[in-house]
Amino acid sequence: MTHLHLAVALDGTGWHPAAWREPDARPAEILTARYWADLVLEAERGLLDFVTVEDALGLQTSAFHRPDDRTDHVRGRLDAVLLTAALAPLTSHIGLVPTTNVTHTEPFHLAIGIASLDHASLGRAGWRPQITSRAADAAHFGRRTTPQLTDADVLDSELIAARLRGLFAEAHEVVEAVRRLWDSWEDDAEIRDTATGRYLDAAKVHHVDFAGAHFSVRGPSITPRPPQGQPVVAVLAHASTPYELAAAGADVVFLTPQSRPDSVARLDAFARARQHSARPAADPVRTFADLVVFLDDAPGRAAERKQRLDERDGGAFGSDALVFTGTPAELADLLLDWRTTGLDGFRLRPGALPHDLTAITRGLVPELQRRGAFRTAYEADTLRALLRLPRPANRYAPAG
Amino acid sequence: MPARPLKQIHLAAQLPSVQHTVIWSDPSAGSQIAFDSFAHLARTAERGRFDFFFLSEGLRLREHKGRVLDLDVAGRPEALTVLAALSAVTDRIGLAATVNSTFNEPYEVARRLATLDHLSGGRAAWNVVTSWDAFTGENFRRGGFLAEADRYTRAAEFLHTARELWDSWRPGDFRADAAAGEFVRPGAGRFAHRGRHFDIAGRFSTPPGPQGHPVVFQAGDSPEGREFAAADADVIFSRHADLASGQAAYRDVKARLAKYGRSPADLKIIPSVSYVLGDTPAEAAERAEEVARAQVSPQTALMLLEAAWGRDLSGYDPDGPLPDVDPVPENVVTKGHNLYRSRGREETVRHWRKTAEERGLSIRELIVEVTARPTFVGTPRQVADAMNAFVQSDAADGFVFSPNVVPGGLDELVDRVVPLLQEMGVHRAEYTGSTLRDHLGLKPARRHFEETP
Ligand SMILES: Cc1cc2nc3c(=O)[nH]c(=O)nc-3n(C[C@H](O)[C@H](O)[C@H](O)COP(=O)(O)O)c2cc1C
């Protein structure tokens, strides 16, 4: 059996809203390169496949669908593409996957930003396209409005997805346009032929002429094809509409099962979405389950710690993903059990940083290694290769 | 009367791309896209204690006769992303990105620039360019939606809005005070801007970086462009690098500052130049000629001629005389090139014919002549003296060096000319500050809430 894949999701000082007040937290440093470098170097020492970095085009909020005026939670963050680019020269193997919105940002800018991250990291870039579901974010751009979700909507992920169906359809177009732009230069377009004076072969640089319901892009990209050909596209999906987006456009999907049977059910639902998508069934998609994790070696300690954090915050922390508390060994049991439902890997969201990240790299990883379930050295240099995803052929290159 | 103290020369470097002046055929020419090339140039410039490293931008590949132009270097990364990566492998040098104000939105550009300023510890700069053409617009949702006349009204409002966003966090708003349980002050990041081009409101996600406002550059030479710079920019990127036109542009721009309550030192004028060195003056001249010929291949000479003539001239001998056929002024064969924008094509053709006839130049010789960019040619001593004379006589405040070859093209300048400037006392031996504002000797940013309490 192949090794499982492990990623961590980085955001602020961790996913618990009171994590920033822990003694080992570094909340005043979340806008510095040093802080993020320390985290990603720790993740790389743990041989993890990749890190994701969250982002949004509005200030953080504790309500899913609208801004709030809270002052007692982490607020303020950096652009995730630029942040991961700054991490690229400091690391050598770990994948770097920024989140970007796809609702307000121009697809052309997204394509060249992620391609440039792939060039700077020598093939370790991923991309998590995310729709901007908050209507208030649209007012930051003033170009359009987007649906305002109600308090009733946000209780049910199918209701949310139904209200945002149009934005997901547009997101699908953005991913398609971006992928075409990545292919718009063939790999060997730069020829430097001194005899004819040609720097490139114009026949190998293509207009993409993407025309969708929402926008059009002529192309070609200004950035030559990135090292991976196509950086790894990862989509977080909770419901039918996002499953369709992931099925049609993603290389990696993050699912949020609440239990082992739920993992079976979600993988099933995703497999159905794949059957209905126009994409060839042979295109591999890696399935990851998201878990928020609180880890301590002593049994019961992690749950106590979470409870202490909850009390400090004045409310029990819950999440779209399962919140796990326990020892690294207990988590290893769960991961290996869930894996048998067909998952390829897990994206762990540390409850508090750096504590739960180092518990992953120094507790969970050795435990999985002991059980023969995780790598003991990086076996590849690009993110695609680490995930055993093939380098895609260029859609514009003549076959053969 | 005591002599005026020597002006310090501001030095900067650019990775040249997408111009026929890049000699990609040179045996030492490396990748124009690999991160190592960018890192080599930026670190070399930092070794020379330069003020900043600069990247240009073009959002559409040039086309010639309906195909992507294949003769020049094409293909470049997104500037801010590369500069963010460079922030990790440099310590002091400023990092300047060209970002267009027509095909972007203030919220996004403001947060990306604030991010670069944080990541680099206060070294970010933004070169605001205003290219508005519909050809570039075809890559964007809104297409060619802006009239040329509006390019600077949008740019000015864009910049003003970005400054409002940076100022939406006041000093101390980002608290991260665990004991008090207060991460931010109430209302941090709140903004509302209502204007002709932007009507936006909400919460800005990114506190301003160490410089408060990144340094702002302007590149463009029209009267509107100069006015925009005088009102709002910290640095002008100019094209004027011969003494007389440099002095005239310098006087013109610096005279515009007073009506905005600014002094001449508040705006630095830094033309884009190149250089060719030799051990003797004769050797330098010979190398300069080789460089010029390498820049203008026979194919490039014909391509630039066709661009001006607006018709196919592929049958002509580049080493022969200019064509006797007339130009077709309304026919645009080259898109994305603005070589003829200032003069107009008919006037350009007239001027070229006259120059070639008077001096008996072939097509290729003519193109070398008319497209040559400002270049210092000589021994290291001659080049250092010429640069210094140029700055001391108020033709500029410094230079952006765009070398002819990537990535090694800056090495000789830093190894052989910079030490002479340091000996002359006109260029720093060590950085004295840590931000780009420090290097340029600029005042702290004027903040919006200080102007309008
Ligand atoms: C030295 C210099 C460098 C420039 N670099 C860029 C660039 O990188 N990208 C771009 O789109 N335009 C660039 N421009 C073009 C100006 O932005 C262009 O002139 C502008 O669209 C029109 O302004 P103007 O009418 O004031 O010249 C540059 C101009 C100058 C003088």
PDB file of all heavy atoms in Angstrom, chain B residues 54 56-58 76 98 100 127-132 148 151-152 218-222 224-225 237-239 272 338 341, ligand 1:
ATOM      1  N   PHE B  54      14.340  46.645 -10.034  1.00  0.00           N
ATOM      2  CA  PHE B  54      13.076  47.031 -10.657  1.00  0.00           C
ATOM      3  C   PHE B  54      12.637  46.027 -11.712  1.00  0.00           C
ATOM      4  O   PHE B  54      13.452  45.487 -12.453  1.00  0.00           O
ATOM      5  CB  PHE B  54      13.305  48.408 -11.304  1.00  0.00           C
ATOM      6  CG  PHE B  54      12.194  48.865 -12.194  1.00  0.00           C
ATOM      7  CD1 PHE B  54      11.066  49.467 -11.659  1.00  0.00           C
ATOM      8  CD2 PHE B  54      12.277  48.702 -13.565  1.00  0.00           C
ATOM      9  CE1 PHE B  54      10.033  49.882 -12.478  1.00  0.00           C
ATOM     10  CE2 PHE B  54      11.246  49.118 -14.394  1.00  0.00           C
ATOM     11  CZ  PHE B  54      10.124  49.710 -13.848  1.00  0.00           C
ATOM     12  N   SER B  56       9.712  45.597 -14.873  1.00  0.00           N
ATOM     13  CA  SER B  56       8.675  46.222 -15.681  1.00  0.00           C
ATOM     14  C   SER B  56       7.526  45.237 -15.866  1.00  0.00           C
ATOM     15  O   SER B  56       7.546  44.117 -15.359  1.00  0.00           O
ATOM     16  CB  SER B  56       9.253  46.660 -17.017  1.00  0.00           C
ATOM     17  OG  SER B  56       9.856  45.556 -17.645  1.00  0.00           O
ATOM     18  N   GLU B  57       6.525  45.657 -16.598  1.00  0.00           N
ATOM     19  CA  GLU B  57       5.353  44.821 -16.784  1.00  0.00           C
ATOM     20  C   GLU B  57       4.788  45.049 -18.173  1.00  0.00           C
ATOM     21  O   GLU B  57       4.826  46.155 -18.700  1.00  0.00           O
ATOM     22  CB  GLU B  57       4.274  45.203 -15.753  1.00  0.00           C
ATOM     23  CG  GLU B  57       2.983  44.407 -15.897  1.00  0.00           C
ATOM     24  CD  GLU B  57       1.848  45.000 -15.077  1.00  0.00           C
ATOM     25  OE1 GLU B  57       1.301  46.047 -15.467  1.00  0.00           O
ATOM     26  OE2 GLU B  57       1.514  44.408 -14.062  1.00  0.00           O
ATOM     27  N   GLY B  58       4.276  44.006 -18.772  1.00  0.00           N
ATOM     28  CA  GLY B  58       3.529  44.129 -20.018  1.00  0.00           C
ATOM     29  C   GLY B  58       2.505  43.017 -19.977  1.00  0.00           C
ATOM     30  O   GLY B  58       2.859  41.874 -19.744  1.00  0.00           O
ATOM     31  N   ARG B  76       7.660  36.632 -19.205  1.00  0.00           N
ATOM     32  CA  ARG B  76       8.198  37.107 -17.935  1.00  0.00           C
ATOM     33  C   ARG B  76       7.229  36.716 -16.833  1.00  0.00           C
ATOM     34  O   ARG B  76       6.061  36.506 -17.072  1.00  0.00           O
ATOM     35  CB  ARG B  76       8.379  38.610 -17.971  1.00  0.00           C
ATOM     36  CG  ARG B  76       7.083  39.341 -18.335  1.00  0.00           C
ATOM     37  CD  ARG B  76       7.258  40.812 -18.147  1.00  0.00           C
ATOM     38  NE  ARG B  76       6.807  41.595 -19.278  1.00  0.00           N
ATOM     39  CZ  ARG B  76       7.272  42.811 -19.546  1.00  0.00           C
ATOM     40  NH1 ARG B  76       8.178  43.354 -18.806  1.00  0.00           N
ATOM     41  NH2 ARG B  76       6.810  43.486 -20.572  1.00  0.00           N
ATOM     42  N   THR B  98       6.293  47.153 -11.347  1.00  0.00           N
ATOM     43  CA  THR B  98       5.389  47.912 -12.204  1.00  0.00           C
ATOM     44  C   THR B  98       4.014  47.256 -12.144  1.00  0.00           C
ATOM     45  O   THR B  98       3.893  46.045 -12.343  1.00  0.00           O
ATOM     46  CB  THR B  98       5.916  47.894 -13.647  1.00  0.00           C
ATOM     47  OG1 THR B  98       7.217  48.484 -13.639  1.00  0.00           O
ATOM     48  CG2 THR B  98       5.003  48.678 -14.567  1.00  0.00           C
ATOM     49  N   ASN B 100      -0.004  48.072 -13.421  1.00  0.00           N
ATOM     50  CA  ASN B 100      -0.864  48.921 -14.229  1.00  0.00           C
ATOM     51  C   ASN B 100      -2.119  49.353 -13.457  1.00  0.00           C
ATOM     52  O   ASN B 100      -2.740  48.542 -12.784  1.00  0.00           O
ATOM     53  CB  ASN B 100      -1.243  48.085 -15.458  1.00  0.00           C
ATOM     54  CG  ASN B 100      -2.048  48.858 -16.440  1.00  0.00           C
ATOM     55  OD1 ASN B 100      -3.178  49.221 -16.164  1.00  0.00           O
ATOM     56  ND2 ASN B 100      -1.468  49.105 -17.594  1.00  0.00           N
ATOM     57  N   ASN B 127       5.609  51.102  -9.345  1.00  0.00           N
ATOM     58  CA  ASN B 127       5.681  51.939 -10.543  1.00  0.00           C
ATOM     59  C   ASN B 127       4.304  51.938 -11.201  1.00  0.00           C
ATOM     60  O   ASN B 127       3.874  50.938 -11.761  1.00  0.00           O
ATOM     61  CB  ASN B 127       6.744  51.358 -11.489  1.00  0.00           C
ATOM     62  CG  ASN B 127       6.863  52.143 -12.788  1.00  0.00           C
ATOM     63  OD1 ASN B 127       6.666  53.356 -12.804  1.00  0.00           O
ATOM     64  ND2 ASN B 127       7.183  51.454 -13.863  1.00  0.00           N
ATOM     65  N   VAL B 128       3.619  53.055 -11.076  1.00  0.00           N
ATOM     66  CA  VAL B 128       2.238  53.150 -11.573  1.00  0.00           C
ATOM     67  C   VAL B 128       2.275  53.428 -13.070  1.00  0.00           C
ATOM     68  O   VAL B 128       2.689  54.506 -13.484  1.00  0.00           O
ATOM     69  CB  VAL B 128       1.487  54.309 -10.879  1.00  0.00           C
ATOM     70  CG1 VAL B 128       0.021  54.317 -11.308  1.00  0.00           C
ATOM     71  CG2 VAL B 128       1.621  54.238  -9.374  1.00  0.00           C
ATOM     72  N   VAL B 129       1.883  52.466 -13.883  1.00  0.00           N
ATOM     73  CA  VAL B 129       1.813  52.735 -15.321  1.00  0.00           C
ATOM     74  C   VAL B 129       0.362  52.702 -15.785  1.00  0.00           C
ATOM     75  O   VAL B 129      -0.512  52.105 -15.146  1.00  0.00           O
ATOM     76  CB  VAL B 129       2.666  51.777 -16.178  1.00  0.00           C
ATOM     77  CG1 VAL B 129       4.132  51.947 -15.848  1.00  0.00           C
ATOM     78  CG2 VAL B 129       2.223  50.344 -16.031  1.00  0.00           C
ATOM     79  N   THR B 130       0.144  53.357 -16.907  1.00  0.00           N
ATOM     80  CA  THR B 130      -1.228  53.696 -17.294  1.00  0.00           C
ATOM     81  C   THR B 130      -1.618  53.181 -18.670  1.00  0.00           C
ATOM     82  O   THR B 130      -2.577  53.677 -19.245  1.00  0.00           O
ATOM     83  CB  THR B 130      -1.388  55.226 -17.291  1.00  0.00           C
ATOM     84  OG1 THR B 130      -0.406  55.773 -18.187  1.00  0.00           O
ATOM     85  CG2 THR B 130      -1.181  55.807 -15.911  1.00  0.00           C
ATOM     86  N   SER B 131      -0.874  52.209 -19.204  1.00  0.00           N
ATOM     87  CA  SER B 131      -1.220  51.707 -20.537  1.00  0.00           C
ATOM     88  C   SER B 131      -2.687  51.285 -20.539  1.00  0.00           C
ATOM     89  O   SER B 131      -3.138  50.603 -19.638  1.00  0.00           O
ATOM     90  CB  SER B 131      -0.339  50.517 -20.898  1.00  0.00           C
ATOM     91  OG  SER B 131       1.014  50.885 -20.726  1.00  0.00           O
ATOM     92  N   TRP B 132      -3.412  51.732 -21.518  1.00  0.00           N
ATOM     93  CA  TRP B 132      -4.868  51.569 -21.495  1.00  0.00           C
ATOM     94  C   TRP B 132      -5.381  50.847 -22.740  1.00  0.00           C
ATOM     95  O   TRP B 132      -6.570  50.658 -22.902  1.00  0.00           O
ATOM     96  CB  TRP B 132      -5.498  52.973 -21.456  1.00  0.00           C
ATOM     97  CG  TRP B 132      -5.341  53.626 -22.784  1.00  0.00           C
ATOM     98  CD1 TRP B 132      -6.273  53.643 -23.797  1.00  0.00           C
ATOM     99  CD2 TRP B 132      -4.184  54.261 -23.312  1.00  0.00           C
ATOM    100  NE1 TRP B 132      -5.745  54.248 -24.905  1.00  0.00           N
ATOM    101  CE2 TRP B 132      -4.469  54.643 -24.637  1.00  0.00           C
ATOM    102  CE3 TRP B 132      -2.908  54.544 -22.786  1.00  0.00           C
ATOM    103  CZ2 TRP B 132      -3.528  55.289 -25.440  1.00  0.00           C
ATOM    104  CZ3 TRP B 132      -1.990  55.189 -23.602  1.00  0.00           C
ATOM    105  CH2 TRP B 132      -2.308  55.541 -24.898  1.00  0.00           C
ATOM    106  N   GLU B 148      -8.057  57.003 -23.667  1.00  0.00           N
ATOM    107  CA  GLU B 148      -6.701  57.457 -23.365  1.00  0.00           C
ATOM    108  C   GLU B 148      -6.718  58.682 -22.452  1.00  0.00           C
ATOM    109  O   GLU B 148      -5.898  58.804 -21.545  1.00  0.00           O
ATOM    110  CB  GLU B 148      -5.953  57.791 -24.671  1.00  0.00           C
ATOM    111  CG  GLU B 148      -4.569  58.378 -24.373  1.00  0.00           C
ATOM    112  CD  GLU B 148      -3.673  58.556 -25.594  1.00  0.00           C
ATOM    113  OE1 GLU B 148      -4.121  58.253 -26.713  1.00  0.00           O
ATOM    114  OE2 GLU B 148      -2.533  58.998 -25.401  1.00  0.00           O
ATOM    115  N   ARG B 151      -6.638  57.960 -18.713  1.00  0.00           N
ATOM    116  CA  ARG B 151      -5.670  57.047 -18.092  1.00  0.00           C
ATOM    117  C   ARG B 151      -5.097  57.624 -16.815  1.00  0.00           C
ATOM    118  O   ARG B 151      -4.899  56.899 -15.845  1.00  0.00           O
ATOM    119  CB  ARG B 151      -4.580  56.670 -19.096  1.00  0.00           C
ATOM    120  CG  ARG B 151      -3.621  57.785 -19.491  1.00  0.00           C
ATOM    121  CD  ARG B 151      -2.876  57.438 -20.777  1.00  0.00           C
ATOM    122  NE  ARG B 151      -1.788  58.356 -21.078  1.00  0.00           N
ATOM    123  CZ  ARG B 151      -1.951  59.587 -21.547  1.00  0.00           C
ATOM    124  NH1 ARG B 151      -3.171  60.064 -21.756  1.00  0.00           N
ATOM    125  NH2 ARG B 151      -0.909  60.356 -21.794  1.00  0.00           N
ATOM    126  N   TYR B 152      -4.794  58.940 -16.788  1.00  0.00           N
ATOM    127  CA  TYR B 152      -4.224  59.497 -15.564  1.00  0.00           C
ATOM    128  C   TYR B 152      -5.274  59.909 -14.545  1.00  0.00           C
ATOM    129  O   TYR B 152      -4.964  59.996 -13.358  1.00  0.00           O
ATOM    130  CB  TYR B 152      -3.280  60.662 -15.879  1.00  0.00           C
ATOM    131  CG  TYR B 152      -1.915  60.175 -16.321  1.00  0.00           C
ATOM    132  CD1 TYR B 152      -1.491  60.302 -17.633  1.00  0.00           C
ATOM    133  CD2 TYR B 152      -1.065  59.558 -15.409  1.00  0.00           C
ATOM    134  CE1 TYR B 152      -0.245  59.819 -18.037  1.00  0.00           C
ATOM    135  CE2 TYR B 152       0.179  59.081 -15.793  1.00  0.00           C
ATOM    136  CZ  TYR B 152       0.587  59.215 -17.112  1.00  0.00           C
ATOM    137  OH  TYR B 152       1.813  58.744 -17.494  1.00  0.00           O
ATOM    138  N   GLN B 218       6.576  56.889 -11.149  1.00  0.00           N
ATOM    139  CA  GLN B 218       5.794  57.155 -12.345  1.00  0.00           C
ATOM    140  C   GLN B 218       6.714  57.023 -13.537  1.00  0.00           C
ATOM    141  O   GLN B 218       7.844  57.491 -13.507  1.00  0.00           O
ATOM    142  CB  GLN B 218       5.197  58.566 -12.269  1.00  0.00           C
ATOM    143  CG  GLN B 218       4.238  58.916 -13.387  1.00  0.00           C
ATOM    144  CD  GLN B 218       4.939  59.543 -14.591  1.00  0.00           C
ATOM    145  OE1 GLN B 218       6.112  59.861 -14.531  1.00  0.00           O
ATOM    146  NE2 GLN B 218       4.208  59.693 -15.682  1.00  0.00           N
ATOM    147  N   ALA B 219       6.228  56.342 -14.579  1.00  0.00           N
ATOM    148  CA  ALA B 219       7.000  56.217 -15.822  1.00  0.00           C
ATOM    149  C   ALA B 219       6.109  56.639 -16.964  1.00  0.00           C
ATOM    150  O   ALA B 219       5.088  56.030 -17.205  1.00  0.00           O
ATOM    151  CB  ALA B 219       7.470  54.784 -16.029  1.00  0.00           C
ATOM    152  N   GLY B 220       6.477  57.649 -17.650  1.00  0.00           N
ATOM    153  CA  GLY B 220       5.623  58.170 -18.717  1.00  0.00           C
ATOM    154  C   GLY B 220       6.048  59.608 -18.887  1.00  0.00           C
ATOM    155  O   GLY B 220       6.551  60.223 -17.954  1.00  0.00           O
ATOM    156  N   ASP B 221       5.874  60.127 -20.077  1.00  0.00           N
ATOM    157  CA  ASP B 221       6.553  61.377 -20.366  1.00  0.00           C
ATOM    158  C   ASP B 221       5.622  62.475 -20.851  1.00  0.00           C
ATOM    159  O   ASP B 221       6.045  63.586 -21.141  1.00  0.00           O
ATOM    160  CB  ASP B 221       7.638  61.102 -21.413  1.00  0.00           C
ATOM    161  CG  ASP B 221       8.700  62.184 -21.374  1.00  0.00           C
ATOM    162  OD1 ASP B 221       8.947  62.723 -20.281  1.00  0.00           O
ATOM    163  OD2 ASP B 221       9.241  62.500 -22.449  1.00  0.00           O
ATOM    164  N   SER B 222       4.354  62.204 -20.951  1.00  0.00           N
ATOM    165  CA  SER B 222       3.419  63.224 -21.419  1.00  0.00           C
ATOM    166  C   SER B 222       3.295  64.313 -20.358  1.00  0.00           C
ATOM    167  O   SER B 222       3.652  64.095 -19.196  1.00  0.00           O
ATOM    168  CB  SER B 222       2.059  62.572 -21.659  1.00  0.00           C
ATOM    169  OG  SER B 222       1.602  62.008 -20.450  1.00  0.00           O
ATOM    170  N   GLU B 224       0.624  65.240 -18.949  1.00  0.00           N
ATOM    171  CA  GLU B 224      -0.252  64.704 -17.889  1.00  0.00           C
ATOM    172  C   GLU B 224       0.536  63.797 -16.955  1.00  0.00           C
ATOM    173  O   GLU B 224       0.299  63.779 -15.744  1.00  0.00           O
ATOM    174  CB  GLU B 224      -1.407  63.873 -18.482  1.00  0.00           C
ATOM    175  CG  GLU B 224      -2.300  64.573 -19.465  1.00  0.00           C
ATOM    176  CD  GLU B 224      -1.868  64.273 -20.902  1.00  0.00           C
ATOM    177  OE1 GLU B 224      -0.710  64.639 -21.254  1.00  0.00           O
ATOM    178  OE2 GLU B 224      -2.667  63.706 -21.659  1.00  0.00           O
ATOM    179  N   GLY B 225       1.450  63.025 -17.544  1.00  0.00           N
ATOM    180  CA  GLY B 225       2.257  62.118 -16.739  1.00  0.00           C
ATOM    181  C   GLY B 225       3.157  62.896 -15.788  1.00  0.00           C
ATOM    182  O   GLY B 225       3.300  62.547 -14.617  1.00  0.00           O
ATOM    183  N   PHE B 237      10.620  57.702 -13.468  1.00  0.00           N
ATOM    184  CA  PHE B 237      11.418  56.909 -14.350  1.00  0.00           C
ATOM    185  C   PHE B 237      11.407  57.614 -15.671  1.00  0.00           C
ATOM    186  O   PHE B 237      10.377  57.658 -16.316  1.00  0.00           O
ATOM    187  CB  PHE B 237      10.644  55.634 -14.529  1.00  0.00           C
ATOM    188  CG  PHE B 237      11.428  54.462 -14.266  1.00  0.00           C
ATOM    189  CD1 PHE B 237      10.845  53.220 -14.343  1.00  0.00           C
ATOM    190  CD2 PHE B 237      12.743  54.569 -13.947  1.00  0.00           C
ATOM    191  CE1 PHE B 237      11.559  52.117 -14.104  1.00  0.00           C
ATOM    192  CE2 PHE B 237      13.467  53.445 -13.708  1.00  0.00           C
ATOM    193  CZ  PHE B 237      12.871  52.223 -13.778  1.00  0.00           C
ATOM    194  N   SER B 238      12.496  58.191 -16.126  1.00  0.00           N
ATOM    195  CA  SER B 238      12.414  58.978 -17.357  1.00  0.00           C
ATOM    196  C   SER B 238      13.189  58.289 -18.464  1.00  0.00           C
ATOM    197  O   SER B 238      13.891  57.311 -18.257  1.00  0.00           O
ATOM    198  CB  SER B 238      12.950  60.384 -17.117  1.00  0.00           C
ATOM    199  OG  SER B 238      14.351  60.395 -17.269  1.00  0.00           O
ATOM    200  N   ARG B 239      13.034  58.818 -19.667  1.00  0.00           N
ATOM    201  CA  ARG B 239      13.794  58.296 -20.793  1.00  0.00           C
ATOM    202  C   ARG B 239      14.909  59.255 -21.195  1.00  0.00           C
ATOM    203  O   ARG B 239      15.594  58.994 -22.156  1.00  0.00           O
ATOM    204  CB  ARG B 239      12.872  58.140 -22.009  1.00  0.00           C
ATOM    205  CG  ARG B 239      11.857  57.034 -21.920  1.00  0.00           C
ATOM    206  CD  ARG B 239      11.356  56.700 -23.314  1.00  0.00           C
ATOM    207  NE  ARG B 239       9.983  56.211 -23.320  1.00  0.00           N
ATOM    208  CZ  ARG B 239       9.625  54.976 -22.989  1.00  0.00           C
ATOM    209  NH1 ARG B 239      10.528  54.103 -22.642  1.00  0.00           N
ATOM    210  NH2 ARG B 239       8.354  54.625 -23.013  1.00  0.00           N
ATOM    211  N   SER B 272      16.356  55.635 -17.347  1.00  0.00           N
ATOM    212  CA  SER B 272      16.731  54.259 -17.634  1.00  0.00           C
ATOM    213  C   SER B 272      17.878  54.278 -18.644  1.00  0.00           C
ATOM    214  O   SER B 272      17.779  54.903 -19.693  1.00  0.00           O
ATOM    215  CB  SER B 272      15.497  53.569 -18.206  1.00  0.00           C
ATOM    216  OG  SER B 272      15.823  52.303 -18.659  1.00  0.00           O
ATOM    217  N   ASN B 338       5.004  50.601 -28.530  1.00  0.00           N
ATOM    218  CA  ASN B 338       4.612  52.012 -28.665  1.00  0.00           C
ATOM    219  C   ASN B 338       5.766  52.903 -29.107  1.00  0.00           C
ATOM    220  O   ASN B 338       5.866  54.057 -28.767  1.00  0.00           O
ATOM    221  CB  ASN B 338       3.962  52.530 -27.378  1.00  0.00           C
ATOM    222  CG  ASN B 338       4.901  52.401 -26.197  1.00  0.00           C
ATOM    223  OD1 ASN B 338       6.059  52.031 -26.371  1.00  0.00           O
ATOM    224  ND2 ASN B 338       4.405  52.685 -25.006  1.00  0.00           N
ATOM    225  N   ARG B 341       4.599  56.119 -30.852  1.00  0.00           N
ATOM    226  CA  ARG B 341       3.452  56.816 -30.305  1.00  0.00           C
ATOM    227  C   ARG B 341       3.660  58.328 -30.259  1.00  0.00           C
ATOM    228  O   ARG B 341       2.780  59.110 -30.606  1.00  0.00           O
ATOM    229  CB  ARG B 341       3.143  56.284 -28.905  1.00  0.00           C
ATOM    230  CG  ARG B 341       1.889  56.887 -28.342  1.00  0.00           C
ATOM    231  CD  ARG B 341       1.392  56.135 -27.120  1.00  0.00           C
ATOM    232  NE  ARG B 341       0.628  57.069 -26.311  1.00  0.00           N
ATOM    233  CZ  ARG B 341       0.979  57.458 -25.119  1.00  0.00           C
ATOM    234  NH1 ARG B 341       2.071  56.979 -24.557  1.00  0.00           N
ATOM    235  NH2 ARG B 341       0.253  58.328 -24.457  1.00  0.00           N
TER     236      ARG B 341
HETATM  237  C1  LIG C   1      11.229  54.458 -18.560  1.00  0.00           C
HETATM  238  C2  LIG C   1       9.831  54.001 -18.805  1.00  0.00           C
HETATM  239  C3  LIG C   1       9.472  52.710 -18.431  1.00  0.00           C
HETATM  240  C4  LIG C   1       8.166  52.222 -18.659  1.00  0.00           C
HETATM  241  N1  LIG C   1       7.839  50.972 -18.255  1.00  0.00           N
HETATM  242  C5  LIG C   1       6.573  50.501 -18.508  1.00  0.00           C
HETATM  243  C6  LIG C   1       6.200  49.196 -18.126  1.00  0.00           C
HETATM  244  O1  LIG C   1       6.978  48.445 -17.561  1.00  0.00           O
HETATM  245  N2  LIG C   1       4.941  48.770 -18.404  1.00  0.00           N
HETATM  246  C7  LIG C   1       4.021  49.559 -19.026  1.00  0.00           C
HETATM  247  O2  LIG C   1       2.886  49.131 -19.242  1.00  0.00           O
HETATM  248  N3  LIG C   1       4.357  50.806 -19.407  1.00  0.00           N
HETATM  249  C8  LIG C   1       5.599  51.284 -19.164  1.00  0.00           C
HETATM  250  N4  LIG C   1       5.936  52.552 -19.536  1.00  0.00           N
HETATM  251  C9  LIG C   1       4.960  53.273 -20.334  1.00  0.00           C
HETATM  252  C10 LIG C   1       4.166  54.284 -19.637  1.00  0.00           C
HETATM  253  O3  LIG C   1       3.412  53.797 -18.598  1.00  0.00           O
HETATM  254  C11 LIG C   1       3.320  54.819 -20.747  1.00  0.00           C
HETATM  255  O4  LIG C   1       4.087  55.844 -21.212  1.00  0.00           O
HETATM  256  C12 LIG C   1       1.931  55.203 -20.342  1.00  0.00           C
HETATM  257  O5  LIG C   1       1.049  54.268 -20.789  1.00  0.00           O
HETATM  258  C13 LIG C   1       1.447  56.463 -20.979  1.00  0.00           C
HETATM  259  O6  LIG C   1       1.881  57.486 -20.265  1.00  0.00           O
HETATM  260  P1  LIG C   1       2.402  58.800 -20.985  1.00  0.00           P
HETATM  261  O7  LIG C   1       1.357  59.143 -22.009  1.00  0.00           O
HETATM  262  O8  LIG C   1       2.477  59.782 -19.873  1.00  0.00           O
HETATM  263  O9  LIG C   1       3.723  58.477 -21.607  1.00  0.00           O
HETATM  264  C14 LIG C   1       7.215  53.050 -19.306  1.00  0.00           C
HETATM  265  C15 LIG C   1       7.594  54.347 -19.671  1.00  0.00           C
HETATM  266  C16 LIG C   1       8.859  54.834 -19.425  1.00  0.00           C
HETATM  267  C17 LIG C   1       9.197  56.230 -19.810  1.00  0.00           C
END
